[in-house]
Amino acid sequence: MEIIFLLICISVSVGLLFLMLFIWSVKNGQYEDCHTPAMRILIEDCKKEETDTKGEKLR
Amino acid sequence: MSTINSRLANSIYELPKVVDKSVASETHCFHCGLNCINTLYQDAGYSFCCAGCLTVYQFLNSQGLSNFYRLGTAPGNTANEKKSEPYQFEYLDDKELFEKIIDYRLGDIAVITLKLPGIHCASCIWLLENLHQIEKNVKKVQVNFLKKQARIHFDSNGLALSGLVRLLEKIGYLPEFSWKNFNKSKQLNNRKELIKIGIAGFAFGNVMMLSFPDYFSNEVPVDFKKFLGYACLILSLPVLLFAARDWFLGAWKAIKHKHITLDIPIVMGLLILFTKSTFDVLVEQEVGYFDSLCAFVFFMLLARYFQKITFEKLSFTDGVLSYFPMAVTIIKDGIKRTVPFTKIQVGDELFLRNGEVIPVESTMISESGLVDYSYLTGESELVTVGTNDKLLAGGKINGQGVSVIASKPIEGQILEQIWQDSERSDVKNRKTFADRISPYFVGTIVTIASFAFLIHLLLGRGYGFGIYCFASVLIITCPCALAISAPLVYGVMQRKLAKRGFYLRSGEILEGLAEADTIVFDKTGTLTYSEKQLYPVKENLTEDEKAACGALASNSIHPISKQISKWSHKNFISTSFEEKVGKGIQGFCNSLYIQIGSVRWFEQLGYDLEILKEHKNQAENLLLVSIDYKIKAIYKLQDKLRENGKEILVSLQHKYDLHVISGDHDKSRENLEQIGLNRNQIHFQYSPFDKQEYIQALVKQGKKVIMIGDGLNDQEALRSSHVGIAISEESSHFSPASDVILIGKQWSELPYFIASSKQAVKLIKLNLGFSLLYNIFGIYIAVGGMLTPLYAAILMPVSSLTVVLVAAFGSSIVLRKRQS
């Protein structure tokens, strides 16, 4: 029966961990703009390509 | 999976095909997608509509950012060929202003959030976020697509703000500078609210889990129970101290002002719930009511968050703040430069262009100019001014730019509004329905609770049991359902009404709308369109002549010319053009000599005005058109009532006392009287101050007044009324500080909007009835001394849930029924 004390402590700590993560993500500003990141993910790769395609090489 | 990805990637990065030069008339600009009128602008096989677009393309290409064009077809903004003057952004380098408008700085790195209206596609995000490849002093750019904002980190030592703005302009994203764009602090509030919800939710879930053993079994070992109790107590502490803080602050404020709001019974309930539970845990070794406590706070926070809607595009507190510019052009020793608006000094020579606002009272230097005072006076006609005439602050220059000398310093009041958070001063002190019933509510439950305490004492059941019953009554009647219901109903209604162009600053305004018995309209811009319309009195023009007039008028920016310019459907181009300020326009077009202007001007020109005899008394409102020195057409300028204007006024008249006040001349009095408005309730030539006094007088008579207006001249009147509704043609347009913004197109739905506010209040009362029913049952149990944590844990969420369901479904049903 004593094991239940340990289990409760663990389960609450896991919950606490997620609460911390949530607070961190809010403070990080992740809930302020839910639209742009969805668009950004589609264009991220472009950066690498950009260095070798310059000017005339574009076509 | 990988093939899908690569196909997707191909479709995104595929370059648009090179256009064939032979069909240039059908080609679209490679940069912005506009139709190319000629083949003048070509580069590397691509066509461009103008030199501006070509320049942007070449610039981006030379910087190695040509991927911009791979991310979408014609992703650019049509370049404005009229580049800004080199001095135009100088004012941004003013130290004091700079420090005020940046978000913050870390050493040399300054962070600023700029509004870039040009942002419209994924390519824009990519280009702006790669700005550091063009300019090494830009460290990081983060775009917010929906808000059309970019947060830019840049080295302010290496790159001045004016330089940054010029760079943005060069690639087609000219920032919008307005005082209101630099109002901070709102975001942080939102974050705090989310964190509170997170903490309350976490505590609620865990406390409920820890309370379960006690609910379902009577044989929980004592040490285990003790452990659970302490755990619940610790988990609930942050909920009470942090998450529920606003209710405590609200209650404290109410006590200080000596009136009772809904916060007081809520705080009373929460405190007793907490004290009783703590006592249970520490002394009785029970688990207590912590789960109910956490659930309450969690649900109340959720409801409040739901109600806090921000309309990104709208600002209800614009007023003077956004009307005045951030900078003005000053001429010193023959050199033009810009300075921050706040730095204007008496004696400065200012240069004001078309559309710019006169920032301070000043004296004209230029020979002639046109000023639009409509925001100040409501008078829609332009005023002609000459040398040495006095110009009032707040007028707008129309047409040709003018030079003036500032004769008075900026009003202190305006300065104050610019630097301070203007929001606070604008909030009306309104008591909500829930606040108003709170005193009765508190009185009743305290009486019942004391009654229960006394009865048990008289029956000889001891102090302990008496106090337990007293506390039970206060716990079970905690008006949390009420605190949840109102924000929910308002939140739902607010969202639904906003979809139809009726934006409420906050939900409580619905109560004000529902109570109103008097509606006061401003005339110009509210009942009528803000610009006068042309009505033909006599028209003898051929199609070609009409089109030629239109083409000629398109050279001018006078509001009447703009209307005439709509006639030009053929590709005529005027060969000469001259505008006589305040008189009219003349010029050659399609080899016709055309003059369009006022009667007075035609008189001066020596025309025979015999044909005007019948219209003599209206001469001021007439517009004449002559072709080759022969008067061919006469037009009348008249206010045009908004769509269904008559029907709406007639339908509102049954239920409301209608008034009309206007800054204009009383030319249209007859029209209004025909509709059936009371003669004594139509007033003309009212100054902004008169309007405010008129409203205040009505309020003093005990009337609940809705004021509907549009201009800056109505602002004080809007503020004095119970509910101020501002009509705005477009949601992004300027509107005076108000409670509601109504989009002009949706004006005919006004009766519907007011009616649905009444339904919303009815729903809240219905909810109140439901929670009363539950409370009667709850009080019965509590007075009898039978309240256990389990009862509380079931009864309270059930009552809250009923309220939530009624609020959510009720308001949808109400709105749908009205619609059909």
Side-chain angles (χ1 to χ4, degrees):
Chain A
M1 187 63 194
E2 273 69 39
I3 195 68
I4 193 113
F5 292 106
L6 183 68
L7 285 175
I8 287 175
C9 287
I10 291 174
S11 82
V12 172
S13 324
V14 171
L16 210 62
L17 179 76
F18 281 103
L19 178 67
M20 293 300 178
L21 282 176
F22 173 73
I23 293 175
W24 168 81
S25 67
V26 170
K27 285 199 169 158
N28 199 24
Q30 293 186 13
Y31 287 84
E32 251 128 69
D33 181 9
C34 303
H35 192 89
T36 320
M39 301 178 73
R40 202 176 284 137
I41 196 162
L42 287 171
I43 54 180
E44 204 63 30
D45 291 345
C46 244
K47 262 182 217 161
K48 289 173 217 153
E49 223 179 302
E50 180 272 332
T51 45
D52 45 59
T53 38
K54 277 205 173 182
E56 290 300 306
K57 267 180 256 167
L58 206 149
R59 266 170 293 153
Chain B
M1 190 62 201
S2 63
T3 51
I4 296 173
N5 271 344
S6 65
R7 209 181 304 152
L8 186 71
N10 276 339
S11 68
I12 290 172
Y13 299 135
E14 204 176 335
L15 269 179
K17 289 203 180 77
V18 175
V19 274
D20 185 4
K21 283 173 201 169
S22 59
V23 286
S25 60
E26 290 294 313
T27 51
H28 298 278
C29 177
F30 183 60
H31 177 72
C32 71
L34 270 190
N35 252 334
C36 297
I37 302 169
N38 49 42
T39 51
L40 281 177
Y41 310 106
Q42 303 267 340
D43 188 18
Y46 300 120
S47 296
F48 297 89
C49 67
C50 59
C53 286
L54 180 65
T55 322
V56 178
Y57 167 77
Q58 283 168 341
F59 176 66
L60 291 181
N61 224 0
S62 69
Q63 298 292 334
L65 290 175
S66 49
N67 268 331
F68 178 57
Y69 296 100
R70 289 169 180 258
L71 295 167
T73 325
N77 290 314
T78 310
N80 195 353
E81 283 194 73
K82 236 190 194 167
K83 285 280 168 215
S84 59
E85 312 283 344
Y87 57 83
Q88 199 163 319
F89 301 116
E90 257 174 38
Y91 71 97
L92 292 170
D93 299 332
D94 181 84
K95 273 247 164 58
E96 204 182 323
L97 181 77
F98 180 72
E99 293 298 332
K100 287 246 160 78
I101 63 176
I102 57 171
D103 296 350
Y104 58 87
R105 61 154 75 242
L106 292 165
D108 286 339
I109 305 293
V111 181
I112 189 167
T113 307
L114 292 176
K115 173 108 183 164
L116 308 177
I119 295 175
H120 67 283
C121 66
S123 295
C124 300
I125 302 176
W126 180 81
L127 179 61
L128 288 167
E129 296 192 345
N130 280 295
L131 207 61
H132 57 90
Q133 301 198 16
I134 302 178
E135 171 63 62
K136 64 177 191 328
N137 284 312
V138 173
K139 299 301 176 199
K140 189 183 156 198
V141 180
Q142 201 179 2
V143 174
N144 184 323
F145 185 76
L146 289 184
K147 289 187 182 170
K148 293 183 190 274
Q149 279 176 345
R151 171 172 284 198
I152 302 172
H153 300 240
F154 67 103
D155 187 340
S156 57
N157 272 353
L159 178 69
L161 183 56
S162 58
L164 177 67
V165 171
R166 225 169 282 133
L167 174 66
L168 288 168
E169 189 199 13
K170 200 168 173 186
I171 58 172
Y173 300 94
L174 182 67
E176 178 186 287
F177 282 101
S178 163
W179 295 112
K180 66 175 173 178
N181 288 348
F182 297 99
N183 225 337
K184 300 158 195 172
S185 85
K186 269 183 195 162
Q187 284 182 343
L188 295 171
N189 270 335
N190 206 8
R191 289 183 188 184
K192 218 173 182 180
E193 202 72 1
L194 276 171
I195 290 176
K196 279 180 185 169
I197 292 177
I199 288 175
F202 163 77
F204 166 53
N206 283 294
V207 169
M208 194 162 72
M209 180 186 80
L210 298 178
S211 305
F212 268 12
D214 195 45
Y215 293 159
F216 296 123
S217 161
N218 291 324
E219 293 150 29
V220 183
V222 177
D223 55 341
F224 185 43
K225 228 178 185 176
K226 220 172 170 180
F227 170 76
L228 291 177
Y230 279 106
C232 289
L233 173 60
I234 292 167
L235 283 171
S236 309
L237 272 177
V239 176
L240 190 77
L241 298 178
F242 175 66
R245 226 179 123 215
D246 287 346
W247 284 283
F248 283 94
L249 291 178
W252 175 241
K253 220 163 116 193
I255 290 171
K256 264 209 307 210
H257 290 108
K258 290 187 182 129
H259 52 72
I260 294 178
T261 61
L262 189 63
D263 288 341
I264 291 184
I266 290 175
V267 164
M268 243 165 61
L270 290 179
L271 274 180
I272 290 184
L273 206 53
F274 185 77
T275 336
K276 169 88 171 78
S277 309
T278 314
F279 179 78
D280 280 357
V281 167
L282 297 182
V283 182
E284 313 257 313
Q285 270 131 33
E286 291 286 336
V287 180
Y289 302 83
F290 288 116
D291 54 340
S292 301
L293 176 86
C294 295
F296 274 160
V297 176
F298 180 56
F299 290 137
M300 286 197 302
L301 281 172
L302 275 185
R304 201 174 64 173
Y305 187 73
F306 181 75
Q307 198 203 355
K308 265 196 191 160
I309 310 170
T310 46
F311 301 113
E312 303 291 356
K313 276 194 263 165
L314 293 178
S315 167
F316 291 92
T317 51
D318 275 11
V320 183
L321 194 65
S322 66
Y323 191 62
F324 283 97
M326 284 192 69
V328 286
T329 310
I330 282 189
I331 308 176
K332 218 172 204 173
D333 309 322
I335 300 166
K336 285 179 187 169
R337 44 191 214 98
T338 52
V339 297
F341 166 70
T342 48
K343 293 256 165 101
I344 299 175
Q345 275 162 3
V346 178
D348 280 348
E349 184 181 341
L350 314 175
F351 182 72
L352 303 167
R353 288 182 209 81
N354 170 41
E356 286 187 342
V357 175
I358 303 164
V360 291
E361 199 180 298
S362 38
T363 320
M364 276 283 281
I365 306 179
S366 305
E367 263 173 33
S368 67
L370 277 179
V371 186
D372 170 7
Y373 280 124
S374 61
Y375 276 126
L376 289 180
T377 59
E379 184 84 46
S380 54
E381 269 155 49
L382 300 178
V383 178
T384 315
V385 287
T387 317
N388 287 335
D389 280 353
K390 201 171 83 177
L391 300 179
L392 298 173
K396 235 181 199 174
I397 300 297
N398 201 297
Q400 238 176 334
V402 295
S403 294
V404 300
I405 286 193
S407 54
K408 273 191 184 169
I410 305 167
E411 275 178 63
Q413 210 190 341
I414 294 171
L415 278 182
E416 231 168 75
Q417 279 203 26
I418 284 173
W419 292 139
Q420 278 169 12
D421 191 11
S422 59
E423 202 145 6
R424 213 169 306 133
S425 57
D426 276 340
V427 176
K428 290 175 195 171
N429 224 343
R430 210 182 263 111
K431 264 194 157 184
T432 63
F433 172 68
D435 282 340
R436 258 176 294 154
I437 61 163
S438 292
Y440 307 104
F441 187 86
V442 174
T444 316
I445 56 167
V446 170
T447 318
I448 294 175
S450 322
F451 183 68
F453 173 71
L454 279 176
I455 281 195
H456 288 295
L457 216 59
L458 288 177
L459 292 175
R461 288 179 184 151
Y463 282 101
F465 191 72
I467 288 171
Y468 160 65
C469 289
F470 181 84
S472 297
V473 171
L474 292 189
I475 287 170
I476 205 73
T477 53
C478 178
C480 302
L482 204 58
I484 295 167
S485 129
L488 268 183
V489 173
Y490 293 146
V492 174
M493 295 294 268
Q494 228 178 324
R495 269 159 231 257
K496 303 236 157 149
L497 291 179
K499 271 191 198 149
R500 317 183 66 160
F502 194 74
Y503 300 90
L504 297 153
R505 181 167 67 176
S506 79
E508 286 92 38
I509 287 157
L510 283 169
E511 287 179 12
L513 275 174
E515 279 170 6
D517 52 18
T518 307
I519 305 179
V520 182
F521 293 95
D522 167 55
K523 190 183 66 72
T524 323
T526 307
L527 285 179
T528 65
Y529 288 100
S530 44
E531 271 164 22
K532 296 199 168 175
Q533 307 284 317
L534 287 175
Y535 290 93
V537 177
K538 197 182 135 212
E539 198 176 49
N540 248 340
L541 297 169
T542 63
E543 273 296 292
D544 274 10
E545 283 171 339
K546 230 179 153 177
C549 289
L552 183 75
S554 62
N555 291 313
S556 157
I557 47 156
H558 191 282
I560 297 172
S561 301
K562 274 188 188 158
Q563 278 186 49
I564 300 175
S565 68
K566 284 178 197 149
W567 298 348
S568 72
H569 49 87
K570 296 187 178 166
N571 281 335
F572 293 150
I573 292 171
S574 58
T575 43
S576 77
F577 171 78
E578 195 185 359
E579 181 158 10
K580 300 273 184 192
V581 175
K583 292 172 178 171
I585 54 173
Q586 58 186 14
F588 276 101
C589 183
N590 198 25
S591 55
L592 298 167
Y593 186 66
I594 303 170
Q595 287 178 312
I596 306 173
S598 68
V599 174
R600 204 178 303 151
W601 186 46
F602 272 58
E603 220 164 26
Q604 286 169 8
L605 289 171
Y607 275 95
D608 177 22
L609 297 177
E610 199 49 38
I611 44 168
L612 288 179
K613 246 182 182 170
E614 335 160 17
H615 311 290
K616 201 105 203 205
N617 48 351
Q618 292 176 314
E620 280 200 5
N621 279 324
L622 293 184
L623 180 85
L624 304 179
V625 175
S626 87
I627 310 261
D628 293 335
Y629 298 105
K630 265 181 210 122
I631 297 182
K632 282 287 184 79
I634 306 168
Y635 295 94
K636 202 161 97 182
L637 284 167
Q638 221 175 33
D639 284 328
K640 193 181 168 202
L641 219 55
R642 276 183 197 274
E643 247 126 87
N644 300 333
K646 262 184 200 171
E647 289 82 356
I648 287 159
L649 286 179
V650 169
S651 75
L652 284 173
Q653 210 175 8
H654 296 306
K655 297 172 207 154
Y656 296 94
D657 201 10
L658 300 187
H659 300 248
V660 175
I661 45 179
S662 170
D664 239 333
H665 293 305
D666 71 353
K667 287 168 200 157
S668 41
R669 175 178 275 274
E670 277 173 35
N671 282 339
L672 291 168
E673 276 173 24
Q674 271 169 15
I675 298 170
L677 292 182
N678 189 339
R679 189 165 233 290
N680 304 325
Q681 298 185 347
I682 307 175
H683 303 274
F684 284 93
Q685 282 175 304
Y686 264 41
S687 72
F689 184 68
D690 292 336
K691 287 183 180 181
Q692 187 189 4
E693 275 204 328
Y694 190 78
I695 301 280
Q696 279 169 346
L698 284 174
V699 172
K700 240 181 218 163
Q701 285 169 33
K703 302 226 162 127
K704 305 275 182 209
V705 185
I706 299 177
M707 165 80 201
I708 307 180
D710 73 317
L712 198 59
N713 60 322
D714 297 322
Q715 180 159 319
E716 291 309 313
L718 290 171
R719 217 179 278 179
S720 310
S721 64
H722 288 95
V723 179
I725 302 178
I727 292 205
S728 173
E729 290 310 324
E730 280 163 56
S731 57
S732 55
H733 241 234
F734 163 83
S735 58
S738 58
D739 300 312
V740 184
I741 293 176
L742 171 60
I743 303 302
K745 272 186 290 183
Q746 298 297 100
W747 130 273
S748 56
E749 292 202 54
L750 186 68
Y752 161 78
F753 293 135
I754 298 180
S756 43
S757 72
K758 291 197 168 162
Q759 301 291 336
V761 173
K762 265 187 203 156
L763 267 180
I764 289 173
K765 289 188 177 160
L766 182 71
N767 260 340
L768 183 71
F770 271 114
S771 50
L772 265 183
L773 271 179
Y774 282 114
N775 268 354
I776 289 170
F777 179 62
I779 288 172
Y780 168 73
I781 292 175
V783 170
M786 293 177 284
L787 186 73
T788 61
L790 183 57
Y791 263 123
I794 293 170
L795 195 61
M796 291 159 128
V798 166
S799 77
S800 300
L801 195 69
T802 322
V803 163
V804 168
L805 290 179
V806 170
F809 289 106
S811 24
S812 322
I813 290 168
V814 162
L815 286 172
R816 206 170 303 144
K817 208 169 68 186
R818 288 252 132 211
Q819 223 163 340
S820 52

